[in-house]
Amino acid sequence: MTQQKTLAVIGTGVIGNGWIARFLAGGHQVIAFDPAPGAEENTVNFLKEIWPMLKTHGCLGASSIDNLRFASTAKEAVQDAYLIQENVPEQEELKKKVIAEVDAEAPADAIIASSTSGYKPSVLQEGCHHHPERVIVAHPFNPVYLIPLVELAGGKQTDRSFLEQAEAFYGSLHMKPLVMSGEIDGHIGDRLMEAIWREALHIVNDGVATTEEVDAAIVYGPGLRWALMGPFLTLHLAGGKQGMKHMLEQFGPALKLPWTRLVAPELTPELREKVIQGTKEQSGEVPVSELEQRRDRFLIKLMKLLEEENFWPAERVGHHG
């Protein structure tokens, strides 16, 4: 059984609360800090709502909601922490300021992990004058309490040992830590999603398809395959017995055709309205909370299926032989 650790969570929005749920489900103690009014009440209500589901899927060891407490300052939250998970809004100066403050107060051997979806760890550790070597990116995917992927990246000053510790720790939470070979703005998953998002906006903007038709094109086609194999292995199979070699010979020339547009379209009032109205029609009268519950039920079933297939795409990630 994993030894119980004290973990700090700074910032308790959607992602911060997701981490709190995951850490508590893993049997750990969590000390949270968020200066926003009503933050503690929001977190407690969120946990009460999802805890019955987590008890049947995701709880490990002696897990309990009672293992959470809120601190009155960031200093108090981090002083005994093994790992600090930072989740403040995506503003570079704010993140650097908070991480520098945490660096000044946390134990020297504590891991400082940022949930940033965009910034490189090298940028985030620039303001740290104590132990920048323990600052990393640990970028999760929503909902954090269910989705296993966490992208780990070190910066120019990061000591590899902290990445290895983080990989082992997140792995102990039944996550799939993906240790990146380098660092890049937006990491891996978000850059790929962003490319599809840009193209989807062009398609809707040009009146080629509605938001519902775009979603259907992913859900009933490539999305099903990607859940198991990802884009590279999926295309490897598209090449028949010769695999990727034949696929590149056959479809490589199509890469030069102007099918896709990598530059995002201008978010005009008209495009905004198309996207807002389109998704409103898709969801109908169903509230977001109900859609979230449906998503969570589906994800649990899908992950069980992947386990049955004994095929986690990230199974060998981090073992660079």
PDB file of all heavy atoms in Angstrom, residues 138-158:
ATOM      1  N   ALA A 138       3.170  19.377 -14.235  1.00  0.00           N
ATOM      2  CA  ALA A 138       2.394  18.135 -14.141  1.00  0.00           C
ATOM      3  C   ALA A 138       0.995  18.492 -14.638  1.00  0.00           C
ATOM      4  O   ALA A 138       0.125  18.891 -13.864  1.00  0.00           O
ATOM      5  CB  ALA A 138       2.357  17.614 -12.717  1.00  0.00           C
ATOM      6  N   HIS A 139       0.818  18.404 -15.940  1.00  0.00           N
ATOM      7  CA  HIS A 139      -0.408  18.885 -16.590  1.00  0.00           C
ATOM      8  C   HIS A 139      -1.432  17.759 -16.725  1.00  0.00           C
ATOM      9  O   HIS A 139      -1.210  16.791 -17.452  1.00  0.00           O
ATOM     10  CB  HIS A 139      -0.068  19.447 -17.981  1.00  0.00           C
ATOM     11  CG  HIS A 139      -1.288  19.788 -18.779  1.00  0.00           C
ATOM     12  ND1 HIS A 139      -1.549  19.223 -20.018  1.00  0.00           N
ATOM     13  CD2 HIS A 139      -2.332  20.614 -18.516  1.00  0.00           C
ATOM     14  CE1 HIS A 139      -2.698  19.700 -20.480  1.00  0.00           C
ATOM     15  NE2 HIS A 139      -3.190  20.541 -19.584  1.00  0.00           N
ATOM     16  N   PRO A 140      -2.576  17.895 -16.030  1.00  0.00           N
ATOM     17  CA  PRO A 140      -3.603  16.854 -16.082  1.00  0.00           C
ATOM     18  C   PRO A 140      -4.664  17.180 -17.123  1.00  0.00           C
ATOM     19  O   PRO A 140      -4.577  18.185 -17.828  1.00  0.00           O
ATOM     20  CB  PRO A 140      -4.210  16.938 -14.681  1.00  0.00           C
ATOM     21  CG  PRO A 140      -4.209  18.432 -14.414  1.00  0.00           C
ATOM     22  CD  PRO A 140      -2.959  18.980 -15.094  1.00  0.00           C
ATOM     23  N   PHE A 141      -5.670  16.321 -17.202  1.00  0.00           N
ATOM     24  CA  PHE A 141      -6.786  16.528 -18.118  1.00  0.00           C
ATOM     25  C   PHE A 141      -8.094  16.381 -17.345  1.00  0.00           C
ATOM     26  O   PHE A 141      -8.216  15.519 -16.480  1.00  0.00           O
ATOM     27  CB  PHE A 141      -6.714  15.531 -19.288  1.00  0.00           C
ATOM     28  CG  PHE A 141      -5.566  15.828 -20.213  1.00  0.00           C
ATOM     29  CD1 PHE A 141      -4.278  15.468 -19.863  1.00  0.00           C
ATOM     30  CD2 PHE A 141      -5.770  16.510 -21.398  1.00  0.00           C
ATOM     31  CE1 PHE A 141      -3.198  15.787 -20.686  1.00  0.00           C
ATOM     32  CE2 PHE A 141      -4.698  16.831 -22.228  1.00  0.00           C
ATOM     33  CZ  PHE A 141      -3.414  16.469 -21.869  1.00  0.00           C
ATOM     34  N   ASN A 142      -9.044  17.231 -17.661  1.00  0.00           N
ATOM     35  CA  ASN A 142     -10.311  17.269 -16.944  1.00  0.00           C
ATOM     36  C   ASN A 142     -11.251  16.148 -17.413  1.00  0.00           C
ATOM     37  O   ASN A 142     -11.378  15.943 -18.613  1.00  0.00           O
ATOM     38  CB  ASN A 142     -10.962  18.648 -17.205  1.00  0.00           C
ATOM     39  CG  ASN A 142     -12.186  18.878 -16.357  1.00  0.00           C
ATOM     40  OD1 ASN A 142     -12.203  18.529 -15.185  1.00  0.00           O
ATOM     41  ND2 ASN A 142     -13.218  19.451 -16.941  1.00  0.00           N
ATOM     42  N   PRO A 143     -11.905  15.409 -16.490  1.00  0.00           N
ATOM     43  CA  PRO A 143     -11.838  15.523 -15.043  1.00  0.00           C
ATOM     44  C   PRO A 143     -10.601  14.823 -14.454  1.00  0.00           C
ATOM     45  O   PRO A 143     -10.374  13.635 -14.721  1.00  0.00           O
ATOM     46  CB  PRO A 143     -13.125  14.835 -14.579  1.00  0.00           C
ATOM     47  CG  PRO A 143     -13.410  13.817 -15.642  1.00  0.00           C
ATOM     48  CD  PRO A 143     -12.909  14.410 -16.933  1.00  0.00           C
ATOM     49  N   VAL A 144      -9.856  15.575 -13.658  1.00  0.00           N
ATOM     50  CA  VAL A 144      -8.582  15.069 -13.115  1.00  0.00           C
ATOM     51  C   VAL A 144      -8.790  13.813 -12.271  1.00  0.00           C
ATOM     52  O   VAL A 144      -7.935  12.931 -12.233  1.00  0.00           O
ATOM     53  CB  VAL A 144      -7.890  16.167 -12.271  1.00  0.00           C
ATOM     54  CG1 VAL A 144      -6.550  15.684 -11.750  1.00  0.00           C
ATOM     55  CG2 VAL A 144      -7.716  17.441 -13.082  1.00  0.00           C
ATOM     56  N   TYR A 145      -9.944  13.722 -11.595  1.00  0.00           N
ATOM     57  CA  TYR A 145     -10.177  12.580 -10.696  1.00  0.00           C
ATOM     58  C   TYR A 145     -10.443  11.280 -11.446  1.00  0.00           C
ATOM     59  O   TYR A 145     -10.476  10.214 -10.844  1.00  0.00           O
ATOM     60  CB  TYR A 145     -11.329  12.887  -9.724  1.00  0.00           C
ATOM     61  CG  TYR A 145     -12.601  13.361 -10.379  1.00  0.00           C
ATOM     62  CD1 TYR A 145     -13.562  12.463 -10.835  1.00  0.00           C
ATOM     63  CD2 TYR A 145     -12.858  14.722 -10.538  1.00  0.00           C
ATOM     64  CE1 TYR A 145     -14.726  12.901 -11.448  1.00  0.00           C
ATOM     65  CE2 TYR A 145     -14.026  15.171 -11.137  1.00  0.00           C
ATOM     66  CZ  TYR A 145     -14.952  14.269 -11.597  1.00  0.00           C
ATOM     67  OH  TYR A 145     -16.109  14.703 -12.196  1.00  0.00           O
ATOM     68  N   LEU A 146     -10.611  11.354 -12.796  1.00  0.00           N
ATOM     69  CA  LEU A 146     -10.822  10.138 -13.583  1.00  0.00           C
ATOM     70  C   LEU A 146      -9.801   9.934 -14.696  1.00  0.00           C
ATOM     71  O   LEU A 146      -9.288   8.837 -14.884  1.00  0.00           O
ATOM     72  CB  LEU A 146     -12.225  10.143 -14.205  1.00  0.00           C
ATOM     73  CG  LEU A 146     -13.410   9.874 -13.278  1.00  0.00           C
ATOM     74  CD1 LEU A 146     -14.708   9.919 -14.067  1.00  0.00           C
ATOM     75  CD2 LEU A 146     -13.268   8.539 -12.562  1.00  0.00           C
ATOM     76  N   ILE A 147      -9.516  10.990 -15.481  1.00  0.00           N
ATOM     77  CA  ILE A 147      -8.602  10.847 -16.627  1.00  0.00           C
ATOM     78  C   ILE A 147      -7.196  10.520 -16.117  1.00  0.00           C
ATOM     79  O   ILE A 147      -6.658  11.241 -15.271  1.00  0.00           O
ATOM     80  CB  ILE A 147      -8.558  12.141 -17.467  1.00  0.00           C
ATOM     81  CG1 ILE A 147      -9.943  12.448 -18.057  1.00  0.00           C
ATOM     82  CG2 ILE A 147      -7.510  12.048 -18.568  1.00  0.00           C
ATOM     83  CD1 ILE A 147     -10.310  11.705 -19.289  1.00  0.00           C
ATOM     84  N   PRO A 148      -6.582   9.452 -16.617  1.00  0.00           N
ATOM     85  CA  PRO A 148      -5.293   9.038 -16.056  1.00  0.00           C
ATOM     86  C   PRO A 148      -4.072   9.841 -16.516  1.00  0.00           C
ATOM     87  O   PRO A 148      -3.075   9.902 -15.805  1.00  0.00           O
ATOM     88  CB  PRO A 148      -5.161   7.576 -16.495  1.00  0.00           C
ATOM     89  CG  PRO A 148      -6.053   7.451 -17.689  1.00  0.00           C
ATOM     90  CD  PRO A 148      -7.150   8.450 -17.530  1.00  0.00           C
ATOM     91  N   LEU A 149      -4.147  10.466 -17.695  1.00  0.00           N
ATOM     92  CA  LEU A 149      -2.933  11.101 -18.225  1.00  0.00           C
ATOM     93  C   LEU A 149      -2.505  12.326 -17.421  1.00  0.00           C
ATOM     94  O   LEU A 149      -3.309  13.190 -17.091  1.00  0.00           O
ATOM     95  CB  LEU A 149      -3.148  11.523 -19.682  1.00  0.00           C
ATOM     96  CG  LEU A 149      -1.937  12.190 -20.361  1.00  0.00           C
ATOM     97  CD1 LEU A 149      -0.746  11.246 -20.461  1.00  0.00           C
ATOM     98  CD2 LEU A 149      -2.308  12.713 -21.747  1.00  0.00           C
ATOM     99  N   VAL A 150      -1.209  12.381 -17.100  1.00  0.00           N
ATOM    100  CA  VAL A 150      -0.599  13.604 -16.564  1.00  0.00           C
ATOM    101  C   VAL A 150       0.731  13.776 -17.286  1.00  0.00           C
ATOM    102  O   VAL A 150       1.584  12.884 -17.282  1.00  0.00           O
ATOM    103  CB  VAL A 150      -0.434  13.561 -15.020  1.00  0.00           C
ATOM    104  CG1 VAL A 150       0.345  12.338 -14.547  1.00  0.00           C
ATOM    105  CG2 VAL A 150       0.226  14.841 -14.504  1.00  0.00           C
ATOM    106  N   GLU A 151       0.878  14.917 -17.976  1.00  0.00           N
ATOM    107  CA  GLU A 151       2.101  15.184 -18.745  1.00  0.00           C
ATOM    108  C   GLU A 151       3.132  15.828 -17.823  1.00  0.00           C
ATOM    109  O   GLU A 151       2.877  16.896 -17.244  1.00  0.00           O
ATOM    110  CB  GLU A 151       1.790  16.114 -19.918  1.00  0.00           C
ATOM    111  CG  GLU A 151       0.843  15.493 -20.925  1.00  0.00           C
ATOM    112  CD  GLU A 151       0.409  16.462 -22.019  1.00  0.00           C
ATOM    113  OE1 GLU A 151       0.274  17.677 -21.753  1.00  0.00           O
ATOM    114  OE2 GLU A 151       0.204  15.998 -23.156  1.00  0.00           O
ATOM    115  N   LEU A 152       4.278  15.187 -17.686  1.00  0.00           N
ATOM    116  CA  LEU A 152       5.339  15.691 -16.821  1.00  0.00           C
ATOM    117  C   LEU A 152       6.475  16.249 -17.665  1.00  0.00           C
ATOM    118  O   LEU A 152       6.929  15.615 -18.616  1.00  0.00           O
ATOM    119  CB  LEU A 152       5.891  14.577 -15.922  1.00  0.00           C
ATOM    120  CG  LEU A 152       4.876  13.844 -15.031  1.00  0.00           C
ATOM    121  CD1 LEU A 152       5.579  12.805 -14.178  1.00  0.00           C
ATOM    122  CD2 LEU A 152       4.104  14.818 -14.161  1.00  0.00           C
ATOM    123  N   ALA A 153       6.928  17.463 -17.312  1.00  0.00           N
ATOM    124  CA  ALA A 153       8.036  18.082 -18.047  1.00  0.00           C
ATOM    125  C   ALA A 153       8.923  18.837 -17.069  1.00  0.00           C
ATOM    126  O   ALA A 153       8.442  19.467 -16.122  1.00  0.00           O
ATOM    127  CB  ALA A 153       7.508  19.030 -19.116  1.00  0.00           C
ATOM    128  N   GLY A 154      10.223  18.754 -17.303  1.00  0.00           N
ATOM    129  CA  GLY A 154      11.185  19.503 -16.518  1.00  0.00           C
ATOM    130  C   GLY A 154      11.716  20.670 -17.321  1.00  0.00           C
ATOM    131  O   GLY A 154      11.677  20.655 -18.555  1.00  0.00           O
ATOM    132  N   GLY A 155      12.194  21.699 -16.608  1.00  0.00           N
ATOM    133  CA  GLY A 155      12.773  22.864 -17.263  1.00  0.00           C
ATOM    134  C   GLY A 155      14.286  22.819 -17.266  1.00  0.00           C
ATOM    135  O   GLY A 155      14.891  21.809 -16.877  1.00  0.00           O
ATOM    136  N   LYS A 156      14.896  23.918 -17.675  1.00  0.00           N
ATOM    137  CA  LYS A 156      16.361  23.983 -17.788  1.00  0.00           C
ATOM    138  C   LYS A 156      17.045  23.722 -16.451  1.00  0.00           C
ATOM    139  O   LYS A 156      18.153  23.192 -16.398  1.00  0.00           O
ATOM    140  CB  LYS A 156      16.783  25.357 -18.319  1.00  0.00           C
ATOM    141  CG  LYS A 156      16.360  25.622 -19.761  1.00  0.00           C
ATOM    142  CD  LYS A 156      16.993  26.900 -20.301  1.00  0.00           C
ATOM    143  CE  LYS A 156      16.580  27.134 -21.756  1.00  0.00           C
ATOM    144  NZ  LYS A 156      15.422  28.016 -21.861  1.00  0.00           N
ATOM    145  N   GLN A 157      16.378  24.121 -15.344  1.00  0.00           N
ATOM    146  CA  GLN A 157      17.012  23.974 -14.036  1.00  0.00           C
ATOM    147  C   GLN A 157      16.522  22.747 -13.258  1.00  0.00           C
ATOM    148  O   GLN A 157      16.982  22.493 -12.151  1.00  0.00           O
ATOM    149  CB  GLN A 157      16.750  25.229 -13.184  1.00  0.00           C
ATOM    150  CG  GLN A 157      17.270  26.524 -13.806  1.00  0.00           C
ATOM    151  CD  GLN A 157      16.938  27.720 -12.933  1.00  0.00           C
ATOM    152  OE1 GLN A 157      17.537  27.913 -11.876  1.00  0.00           O
ATOM    153  NE2 GLN A 157      15.977  28.529 -13.354  1.00  0.00           N
ATOM    154  N   THR A 158      15.608  21.988 -13.848  1.00  0.00           N
ATOM    155  CA  THR A 158      15.017  20.858 -13.123  1.00  0.00           C
ATOM    156  C   THR A 158      16.009  19.712 -12.962  1.00  0.00           C
ATOM    157  O   THR A 158      16.693  19.326 -13.907  1.00  0.00           O
ATOM    158  CB  THR A 158      13.756  20.335 -13.856  1.00  0.00           C
ATOM    159  OG1 THR A 158      12.826  21.409 -14.000  1.00  0.00           O
ATOM    160  CG2 THR A 158      13.093  19.213 -13.078  1.00  0.00           C
TER     161      THR A 158
END
